[in-house]
Amino acid sequence: MLTMQIGIVLAVILAVAGVVQWRVQSSRREKQKYILEYAEKVTDLETRKKEEQKQQEQAEEKKQKYRVFYLDFMITHGSAFGGCCATCADGRRRRGAVALDHILMYGKHPSGKEFTYYIEEQGLEIGASDDPDALIVRSKDAPFEIREEGVGRDQGTKTRSAVLKKDILYYIILESKHEISIKATKTC
């Protein structure tokens, strides 16, 4: 009889342990299922956001392609300067955007030696605006820091795009930590 009671107690203990183990595993599966569903929702949301952003960028690029430059701009980098005229050599108005790394910079060393170079900053471009008294600067890759003349070096705004108003000097700190100044004006 004692063996039978011990057997029943052991069977009850094993049954309770089995139920507890099943409950813990069931709870663990529920948590894993919840985590997987959440991760899937987050991934879908991120994918949708990236797709929407890509569509917005494509729409903006399509609009930018036909915008007309009303202003010229001048860039200085150290002792070098460069720029872009709103009118092409054949007399037509320039359209779209000009990549920063396509603007030839010209400088003269204190020793008298002249030099030319391109600022190799991929992704930064200066574009035409619908407003005839403004230009747009935007970056396709990393954000850049921009500030107006008179604003302290550490008080710039980090952004992916900015509007340059006519005849105001702006300073742009590039991803490479170089600082250039840019001014939109009516004459080269």
Side-chain angles (χ1 to χ4, degrees), residues 8 15 28 32 44 57 64 70 74 83 85 112 121 138 144 154 167 185:
I8 292 174
R28 191 176 295 150
Q32 287 175 345
D44 286 345
E57 287 174 0
Q64 186 66 41
Y70 295 104
M74 294 293 297
C85 188
E121 197 70 30
R138 70 177 179 182
F144 60 91
D154 58 346
D167 295 328
T185 181

Side-chain angles (χ1 to χ4, degrees), residues 56-126:
Q56 285 177 338
E57 287 174 0
Q58 287 175 344
E60 181 62 31
E61 283 181 30
K62 195 174 184 180
K63 281 197 297 189
Q64 186 66 41
K65 191 177 186 179
Y66 298 106
R67 286 184 177 147
V68 177
F69 275 88
Y70 295 104
L71 296 172
D72 309 318
F73 60 88
M74 294 293 297
I75 295 175
T76 58
H77 179 232
S79 64
F81 66 91
C84 183
C85 188
T87 308
C88 297
D90 61 3
R92 290 179 298 124
R93 284 283 191 187
R94 187 176 305 276
R95 292 182 180 272
V98 178
L100 181 62
D101 56 359
H102 286 88
I103 298 170
L104 181 65
M105 302 296 289
Y106 169 81
K108 195 170 190 177
H109 194 270
S111 66
K113 185 178 177 184
E114 296 178 356
F115 58 90
T116 59
Y117 66 97
Y118 292 96
I119 298 173
E120 295 180 14
E121 197 70 30
Q122 301 295 323
L124 195 66
E125 60 186 19
I126 297 118

Side-chain angles (χ1 to χ4, degrees), residues 23-40:
R23 191 80 172 132
V24 167
Q25 287 177 346
S26 175
S27 174
R28 191 176 295 150
R29 276 190 231 117
E30 286 289 323
K31 286 179 184 175
Q32 287 175 345
K33 182 180 174 186
Y34 173 75
I35 290 170
L36 288 173
E37 286 174 356
Y38 179 74
E40 185 178 331

